[in-house]
Amino acid sequence: MSQPVVHISKLNLKYHHTVVFQDLDWVIQPNQNWLLCGTSGSGKTSLAKAIAGLSNTDGTLDLHFDPASTRPALAYYVANWYQFKDLEGQSNFYYQQRYNSQAEQTVATVQAELESFGKAQGLQFIEALRIAEALAYTELLPSSMIELSSGEHKKLQLVKAVWLAPQLLILDQPYNGLDTLSRKRLNTLLEEISVKGTQLILISNDAELPAVIDRVAEIREGKIQEVTFEQRSRNEMAHSGKAVPSFLKTAPAGTAPEHIIKMIDVNIRYGEKQVLKDINWEVKPGEKWLLQGHNGSGKSTLLSLICGDHPQAYANNYYLFGNKRGSGESIWEIKQRIGLISPELHWYFDPTATVWQSIASGFYDSSGLFCDPGATKKAQTDQVLDYFGLQEYKNVLMTELPLGKQRLALLARTVIKNPQLLILDEPCQGLDQQQTQHFNQLVDELSSHGTTLIYVGHFESQLPACIEKRILLENGWVKSVETILESA
């Protein structure tokens, strides 16, 4: 009988004094392809990194690769997100920097990044082009890395992984940020390399999986259990049922203008590349919008105009909260009325703040807390901390938390000031189904009291029930605007 590809026995791991695994056992035989699941913070990423040799553990962890295979004999891990560096090896970027035309001069292009990876791995670049074309990515090859959205960064790492096609490929939340078509094309590519000798371990909360995934492992209380696909779904659907904090059950403060957003023939161009084209869009108070479009359709750029982060804001004709943009209001006056979460904000948020400080910073739209909030705001922060189940992490630094817990803290930060406008850009990335359901119930509650909502989401199953209108972008144009739920 052949040796197992992965043999784990009595594996123990602590993460910042917290026990993650205790005597964990797992065996992966040749030709098996696994889905690795579990609640947020259960240790999925830690286990994946341990298998790929990226973290130290206590116990037995042996890998046995096939010497006769033409595939690289290694376990290759693709992280949930990718922290790129500039040409000087630095990664200290700031949130608005991707919209700065000078920033692209200090960061490599997508093509240069792929060429460097291919050279290091001894790969033929023509194969990378084939994969990029399959993922509708070739148009981005000349783009600077800093210009990419979260979904476009994810695609870049997936192009590398499929191109390398190692004997064991571990993908951590590979569908985050990908549009529907890209998810289907990725599954086809993964099925192709699996047939040719690549085994897969996928960490995913999503129902859409490659057909070759035939086993499910779930981490529970520090140990691995093999379960069926049906059991996995049932285990993730439990719900906490906590009551929404009372101060969030009131209408947002501030006057109600005729329109929250009104855009008139808005255009954004970078040199010869036009990102937004003649956008006309009006959002009235209390409306609940779904913003959709394929990766690179212009969603992130559109949101950056609303939040005051884009330098071309003053060159366009649009209104925010009833005021013409550029008529004297400051960026901070705009941000005070907006609650924002996005993958990019998560990337650039201060990781050295504690969870409590991070949540309270939402009152001030800062990355970290730099003042005493006062008794009322402190009490409200504690209430939201409890609602999101983060009490035990109150004084823990953000950098010491798993990404799922970090996202919960930032979601709490997003709603803490009960803003007039909620902008939720892929808010549930990294959350399990229970957490997603819990957060969307909060969104429905806020919306019922007059909060205006713009929700960006590619997964129809993860949307709040309150969504009533949809705007669809395609290549920078408004392809369609439709009503999907009649308001009461």
Side-chain angles (χ1 to χ4, degrees):
M1 183 176 178
S2 60
Q3 288 183 308
V5 177
V6 178
H7 179 248
I8 298 173
S9 177
K10 306 296 182 184
L11 193 71
N12 296 281
L13 176 67
K14 287 186 176 182
Y15 185 79
H16 295 287
H17 310 293
T18 300
V19 175
V20 181
F21 307 133
Q22 187 169 13
D23 294 335
L24 181 145
D25 299 324
W26 194 19
V27 175
I28 298 178
Q29 299 290 353
N31 303 314
Q32 292 180 348
N33 295 293
W34 288 80
L35 173 67
L36 178 60
C37 60
T39 58
S40 179
S42 59
K44 302 183 295 292
T45 294
S46 296
L47 180 57
K49 288 183 176 180
I51 294 172
L54 300 176
S55 62
N56 296 320
T57 55
D58 176 31
T60 300
L61 199 167
D62 294 325
L63 303 181
H64 304 282
F65 295 109
D66 182 0
S69 173
T70 59
R71 301 292 180 179
L74 78 158
Y76 186 78
Y77 171 72
V78 177
N80 190 346
W81 63 16
Y82 175 66
Q83 294 287 65
F84 64 93
K85 299 181 184 296
D86 63 20
L87 296 176
E88 296 180 354
Q90 302 298 313
S91 58
N92 55 334
F93 303 107
Y94 57 89
Y95 180 60
Q96 294 88 354
Q97 192 168 354
R98 63 178 294 207
Y99 307 115
N100 185 338
S101 60
Q102 296 179 344
E104 64 185 51
Q105 301 172 11
T106 65
V107 180
T109 65
V110 171
Q111 179 158 337
E113 175 78 4
L114 286 174
E115 288 174 343
S116 176
F117 178 82
K119 183 178 180 181
Q121 302 293 339
L123 303 172
Q124 297 296 317
F125 192 71
I126 191 170
E127 177 63 10
L129 294 177
R130 183 191 72 84
I131 297 166
E133 184 175 3
L135 289 174
Y137 201 66
T138 51
E139 289 186 3
L140 289 171
L141 293 178
S143 300
S144 168
M145 294 274 288
I146 202 170
E147 296 176 336
L148 304 182
S149 68
S150 62
E152 291 164 348
H153 269 291
K154 175 65 75 174
K155 281 189 179 181
L156 175 58
Q157 305 319 309
L158 294 171
V159 169
K160 291 180 182 178
V162 174
W163 186 18
L164 180 63
Q167 290 193 38
L168 181 60
L169 177 57
I170 308 170
L171 301 176
D172 196 343
Q173 303 295 349
Y175 306 106
N176 278 358
L178 298 190
D179 57 55
T180 302
L181 182 58
S182 296
R183 297 198 302 268
K184 291 179 179 178
R185 289 178 171 177
L186 173 62
N187 283 344
T188 298
L189 290 169
L190 294 177
E191 289 162 8
E192 288 177 0
I193 63 173
S194 175
V195 169
K196 296 177 181 178
T198 294
Q199 287 186 240
L200 302 172
I201 300 175
L202 264 61
I203 301 174
S204 178
N205 304 320
D206 307 313
E208 299 178 46
L209 299 169
V212 293
I213 297 295
D214 53 4
R215 284 172 167 78
V216 182
E218 184 174 29
I219 301 179
R220 297 184 198 169
E221 299 179 352
K223 298 182 185 297
I224 283 276
Q225 295 184 23
E226 184 171 358
V227 299
T228 66
F229 285 93
E230 293 76 15
Q231 287 173 325
R232 168 234 183 180
S233 299
R234 287 198 298 268
N235 292 339
E236 290 182 352
M237 286 307 293
H239 179 56
S240 66
K242 288 187 177 180
V244 174
S246 58
F247 76 94
L248 293 178
K249 293 183 177 182
T250 60
T255 58
E258 180 182 354
H259 40 252
I260 299 292
I261 301 163
K262 186 175 182 179
M263 295 187 171
I264 305 169
D265 296 329
V266 166
N267 289 272
I268 296 293
R269 179 186 295 274
Y270 305 121
E272 297 299 317
K273 181 181 180 182
Q274 190 157 4
V275 181
L276 295 179
K277 308 169 187 177
D278 299 325
I279 300 294
N280 290 279
W281 184 30
E282 183 171 348
V283 177
K284 295 180 179 179
E287 289 185 338
K288 281 77 74 174
W289 284 84
L290 176 63
L291 170 60
Q292 289 188 313
H294 60 76
N295 298 129
S297 61
K299 301 186 300 296
S300 296
T301 302
L302 185 65
L303 295 181
S304 72
L305 285 171
I306 299 170
C307 296
D309 293 318
H310 202 289
Q312 294 186 38
Y314 300 105
N316 279 283
N317 184 15
Y318 67 103
Y319 296 78
L320 296 177
F321 304 101
N323 298 315
K324 183 174 173 58
R325 189 71 175 94
S327 60
E329 81 291 350
S330 71
I331 289 177
W332 299 110
E333 288 173 328
I334 294 172
K335 289 183 179 296
Q336 183 58 36
R337 306 171 84 167
I338 298 173
L340 168 70
I341 183 69
S342 70
E344 291 79 12
L345 184 144
H346 193 165
W347 282 353
Y348 302 126
F349 197 82
D350 181 7
T352 63
T354 67
V355 169
W356 194 93
Q357 290 169 337
S358 298
I359 295 173
S361 72
F363 287 117
Y364 309 101
D365 306 297
S366 57
S367 181
L369 186 63
F370 306 101
C371 65
D372 187 332
T376 299
K377 288 183 173 64
K378 287 179 179 177
Q380 291 174 341
T381 302
D382 287 336
Q383 291 176 50
V384 174
L385 188 83
D386 176 71
Y387 179 79
F388 281 89
L390 294 169
Q391 307 96 315
E392 65 181 291
Y393 306 103
K394 177 177 181 177
N395 298 314
V396 177
L397 298 181
M398 290 286 280
T399 189
E400 296 179 0
L401 287 181
L403 287 177
K405 299 293 186 187
Q406 291 181 28
R407 178 53 62 93
L408 283 179
L410 292 180
L411 290 174
R413 175 187 183 273
T414 301
V415 304
I416 189 71
K417 62 187 176 186
N418 196 13
Q420 285 183 280
L421 173 62
L422 268 181
I423 299 178
L424 307 177
D425 185 357
E426 298 282 357
C428 298
Q429 282 190 10
L431 303 188
D432 57 42
Q433 289 189 30
Q434 176 187 347
Q435 292 167 331
T436 297
Q437 181 185 30
H438 190 47
F439 178 69
N440 281 340
Q441 287 188 343
L442 173 61
V443 173
D444 288 334
E445 177 76 35
L446 293 173
S447 296
S448 72
H449 298 292
T451 299
T452 306
L453 174 67
I454 299 175
Y455 197 108
V456 180
H458 294 298
F459 292 90
E460 302 296 332
S461 62
Q462 294 183 356
L463 301 179
C466 64
I467 297 292
E468 58 189 13
K469 296 177 181 290
R470 182 173 82 138
I471 179 170
L472 177 64
L473 299 186
E474 184 174 285
N475 299 322
W477 296 88
V478 176
K479 183 178 181 180
S480 64
V481 175
E482 60 180 329
T483 298
I484 56 180
L485 176 68
E486 295 294 341
S487 57

mmCIF file of all heavy atoms in Angstrom, residues 72 114-115 117-128 159-160 162-165:
data_model
loop_
_atom_site.group_PDB
_atom_site.id
_atom_site.type_symbol
_atom_site.label_atom_id
_atom_site.label_comp_id
_atom_site.label_asym_id
_atom_site.label_seq_id
_atom_site.Cartn_x
_atom_site.Cartn_y
_atom_site.Cartn_z
ATOM 1 N N PRO A 72 5.563 19.493 -9.248
ATOM 2 C CA PRO A 72 6.516 19.873 -8.187
ATOM 3 C C PRO A 72 6.184 19.171 -6.871
ATOM 4 O O PRO A 72 5.023 19.137 -6.454
ATOM 5 C CB PRO A 72 6.328 21.386 -8.069
ATOM 6 C CG PRO A 72 5.834 21.819 -9.418
ATOM 7 C CD PRO A 72 4.968 20.687 -9.898
ATOM 8 N N LEU A 114 4.182 38.081 -12.474
ATOM 9 C CA LEU A 114 4.049 36.722 -12.996
ATOM 10 C C LEU A 114 5.342 36.236 -13.635
ATOM 11 O O LEU A 114 5.736 35.072 -13.464
ATOM 12 C CB LEU A 114 2.907 36.667 -14.013
ATOM 13 C CG LEU A 114 1.491 36.712 -13.449
ATOM 14 C CD1 LEU A 114 0.470 36.808 -14.565
ATOM 15 C CD2 LEU A 114 1.214 35.477 -12.590
ATOM 16 N N GLU A 115 6.008 37.103 -14.356
ATOM 17 C CA GLU A 115 7.278 36.708 -14.988
ATOM 18 C C GLU A 115 8.314 36.351 -13.940
ATOM 19 O O GLU A 115 9.064 35.375 -14.100
ATOM 20 C CB GLU A 115 7.783 37.835 -15.884
ATOM 21 C CG GLU A 115 6.971 37.998 -17.170
ATOM 22 C CD GLU A 115 7.400 39.208 -17.979
ATOM 23 O OE1 GLU A 115 8.085 40.093 -17.413
ATOM 24 O OE2 GLU A 115 7.037 39.288 -19.176
ATOM 25 N N PHE A 117 7.712 35.218 -10.895
ATOM 26 C CA PHE A 117 7.298 33.948 -10.293
ATOM 27 C C PHE A 117 7.638 32.782 -11.229
ATOM 28 O O PHE A 117 8.174 31.759 -10.797
ATOM 29 C CB PHE A 117 5.794 33.984 -10.016
ATOM 30 C CG PHE A 117 5.248 32.710 -9.442
ATOM 31 C CD1 PHE A 117 5.359 32.444 -8.087
ATOM 32 C CD2 PHE A 117 4.601 31.777 -10.250
ATOM 33 C CE1 PHE A 117 4.847 31.261 -7.552
ATOM 34 C CE2 PHE A 117 4.082 30.597 -9.727
ATOM 35 C CZ PHE A 117 4.213 30.340 -8.366
ATOM 36 N N GLY A 118 7.325 32.932 -12.512
ATOM 37 C CA GLY A 118 7.602 31.865 -13.471
ATOM 38 C C GLY A 118 9.077 31.548 -13.582
ATOM 39 O O GLY A 118 9.474 30.382 -13.672
ATOM 40 N N LYS A 119 9.906 32.592 -13.576
ATOM 41 C CA LYS A 119 11.358 32.386 -13.665
ATOM 42 C C LYS A 119 11.868 31.634 -12.443
ATOM 43 O O LYS A 119 12.690 30.718 -12.556
ATOM 44 C CB LYS A 119 12.058 33.741 -13.784
ATOM 45 C CG LYS A 119 13.562 33.638 -13.952
ATOM 46 C CD LYS A 119 14.187 35.019 -14.126
ATOM 47 C CE LYS A 119 15.694 34.925 -14.299
ATOM 48 N NZ LYS A 119 16.317 36.271 -14.456
ATOM 49 N N ALA A 120 11.367 32.005 -11.267
ATOM 50 C CA ALA A 120 11.810 31.349 -10.029
ATOM 51 C C ALA A 120 11.392 29.881 -9.986
ATOM 52 O O ALA A 120 12.095 29.040 -9.418
ATOM 53 C CB ALA A 120 11.243 32.087 -8.824
ATOM 54 N N GLN A 121 10.251 29.571 -10.609
ATOM 55 C CA GLN A 121 9.724 28.198 -10.562
ATOM 56 C C GLN A 121 10.044 27.388 -11.816
ATOM 57 O O GLN A 121 9.675 26.206 -11.893
ATOM 58 C CB GLN A 121 8.203 28.229 -10.350
ATOM 59 C CG GLN A 121 7.756 28.951 -9.086
ATOM 60 C CD GLN A 121 8.165 28.239 -7.825
ATOM 61 O OE1 GLN A 121 8.434 27.038 -7.827
ATOM 62 N NE2 GLN A 121 8.231 28.966 -6.723
ATOM 63 N N GLY A 122 10.700 27.994 -12.798
ATOM 64 C CA GLY A 122 11.038 27.293 -14.025
ATOM 65 C C GLY A 122 9.837 26.968 -14.886
ATOM 66 O O GLY A 122 9.752 25.874 -15.474
ATOM 67 N N LEU A 123 8.881 27.895 -14.990
ATOM 68 C CA LEU A 123 7.636 27.677 -15.719
ATOM 69 C C LEU A 123 7.622 28.431 -17.036
ATOM 70 O O LEU A 123 8.310 29.444 -17.193
ATOM 71 C CB LEU A 123 6.445 28.133 -14.858
ATOM 72 C CG LEU A 123 6.318 27.469 -13.483
ATOM 73 C CD1 LEU A 123 5.228 28.147 -12.672
ATOM 74 C CD2 LEU A 123 6.028 25.975 -13.627
ATOM 75 N N GLN A 124 6.804 27.965 -17.972
ATOM 76 C CA GLN A 124 6.659 28.610 -19.276
ATOM 77 C C GLN A 124 5.549 29.660 -19.210
ATOM 78 O O GLN A 124 4.418 29.357 -18.838
ATOM 79 C CB GLN A 124 6.325 27.570 -20.347
ATOM 80 C CG GLN A 124 7.418 26.535 -20.557
ATOM 81 C CD GLN A 124 8.708 27.163 -21.089
ATOM 82 O OE1 GLN A 124 8.665 28.018 -21.977
ATOM 83 N NE2 GLN A 124 9.827 26.731 -20.536
ATOM 84 N N PHE A 125 5.890 30.898 -19.597
ATOM 85 C CA PHE A 125 4.945 32.009 -19.431
ATOM 86 C C PHE A 125 3.697 31.832 -20.288
ATOM 87 O O PHE A 125 2.618 32.322 -19.927
ATOM 88 C CB PHE A 125 5.624 33.341 -19.766
ATOM 89 C CG PHE A 125 4.811 34.538 -19.350
ATOM 90 C CD1 PHE A 125 4.663 34.857 -18.013
ATOM 91 C CD2 PHE A 125 4.190 35.334 -20.299
ATOM 92 C CE1 PHE A 125 3.905 35.950 -17.621
ATOM 93 C CE2 PHE A 125 3.437 36.431 -19.918
ATOM 94 C CZ PHE A 125 3.290 36.733 -18.574
ATOM 95 N N ILE A 126 3.802 31.127 -21.385
ATOM 96 C CA ILE A 126 2.635 30.948 -22.250
ATOM 97 C C ILE A 126 1.507 30.220 -21.519
ATOM 98 O O ILE A 126 0.315 30.464 -21.767
ATOM 99 C CB ILE A 126 3.033 30.198 -23.547
ATOM 100 C CG1 ILE A 126 1.877 30.259 -24.558
ATOM 101 C CG2 ILE A 126 3.438 28.753 -23.242
ATOM 102 C CD1 ILE A 126 2.257 29.760 -25.931
ATOM 103 N N GLU A 127 1.856 29.339 -20.572
ATOM 104 C CA GLU A 127 0.831 28.635 -19.798
ATOM 105 C C GLU A 127 0.132 29.603 -18.839
ATOM 106 O O GLU A 127 -1.077 29.501 -18.616
ATOM 107 C CB GLU A 127 1.460 27.477 -19.021
ATOM 108 C CG GLU A 127 0.517 26.708 -18.111
ATOM 109 C CD GLU A 127 -0.619 26.005 -18.835
ATOM 110 O OE1 GLU A 127 -0.597 25.942 -20.093
ATOM 111 O OE2 GLU A 127 -1.544 25.520 -18.150
ATOM 112 N N ALA A 128 0.885 30.554 -18.284
ATOM 113 C CA ALA A 128 0.272 31.573 -17.420
ATOM 114 C C ALA A 128 -0.738 32.395 -18.202
ATOM 115 O O ALA A 128 -1.804 32.753 -17.686
ATOM 116 C CB ALA A 128 1.336 32.476 -16.824
ATOM 117 N N VAL A 159 -3.859 32.373 -10.389
ATOM 118 C CA VAL A 159 -3.130 32.117 -11.634
ATOM 119 C C VAL A 159 -1.790 31.457 -11.318
ATOM 120 O O VAL A 159 -1.400 30.455 -11.938
ATOM 121 C CB VAL A 159 -2.923 33.417 -12.432
ATOM 122 C CG1 VAL A 159 -1.948 33.187 -13.582
ATOM 123 C CG2 VAL A 159 -4.247 33.940 -12.977
ATOM 124 N N LYS A 160 -1.074 31.989 -10.342
ATOM 125 C CA LYS A 160 0.219 31.413 -9.946
ATOM 126 C C LYS A 160 0.051 29.959 -9.493
ATOM 127 O O LYS A 160 0.820 29.070 -9.886
ATOM 128 C CB LYS A 160 0.832 32.224 -8.794
ATOM 129 C CG LYS A 160 1.313 33.616 -9.143
ATOM 130 C CD LYS A 160 1.886 34.254 -7.893
ATOM 131 C CE LYS A 160 2.360 35.671 -8.101
ATOM 132 N NZ LYS A 160 2.861 36.275 -6.848
ATOM 133 N N VAL A 162 -2.405 27.683 -10.025
ATOM 134 C CA VAL A 162 -2.788 26.738 -11.081
ATOM 135 C C VAL A 162 -1.633 26.540 -12.053
ATOM 136 O O VAL A 162 -1.403 25.431 -12.558
ATOM 137 C CB VAL A 162 -4.050 27.242 -11.803
ATOM 138 C CG1 VAL A 162 -4.378 26.348 -12.995
ATOM 139 C CG2 VAL A 162 -5.229 27.301 -10.841
ATOM 140 N N TRP A 163 -0.897 27.586 -12.334
ATOM 141 C CA TRP A 163 0.276 27.522 -13.208
ATOM 142 C C TRP A 163 1.326 26.585 -12.617
ATOM 143 O O TRP A 163 1.868 25.713 -13.302
ATOM 144 C CB TRP A 163 0.816 28.935 -13.374
ATOM 145 C CG TRP A 163 1.930 29.131 -14.345
ATOM 146 C CD1 TRP A 163 2.332 28.297 -15.349
ATOM 147 C CD2 TRP A 163 2.790 30.285 -14.425
ATOM 148 N NE1 TRP A 163 3.380 28.848 -16.040
ATOM 149 C CE2 TRP A 163 3.680 30.069 -15.493
ATOM 150 C CE3 TRP A 163 2.874 31.467 -13.701
ATOM 151 C CZ2 TRP A 163 4.663 30.995 -15.842
ATOM 152 C CZ3 TRP A 163 3.834 32.403 -14.048
ATOM 153 C CH2 TRP A 163 4.720 32.161 -15.116
ATOM 154 N N LEU A 164 1.602 26.710 -11.324
ATOM 155 C CA LEU A 164 2.594 25.860 -10.661
ATOM 156 C C LEU A 164 2.101 24.417 -10.579
ATOM 157 O O LEU A 164 2.875 23.479 -10.803
ATOM 158 C CB LEU A 164 2.880 26.403 -9.260
ATOM 159 C CG LEU A 164 3.892 25.644 -8.418
ATOM 160 C CD1 LEU A 164 5.279 25.670 -9.076
ATOM 161 C CD2 LEU A 164 3.960 26.231 -6.999
ATOM 162 N N ALA A 165 0.821 24.230 -10.261
ATOM 163 C CA ALA A 165 0.202 22.894 -10.167
ATOM 164 C C ALA A 165 1.073 21.911 -9.389
ATOM 165 O O ALA A 165 1.532 20.899 -9.922
ATOM 166 C CB ALA A 165 -0.101 22.354 -11.569
#
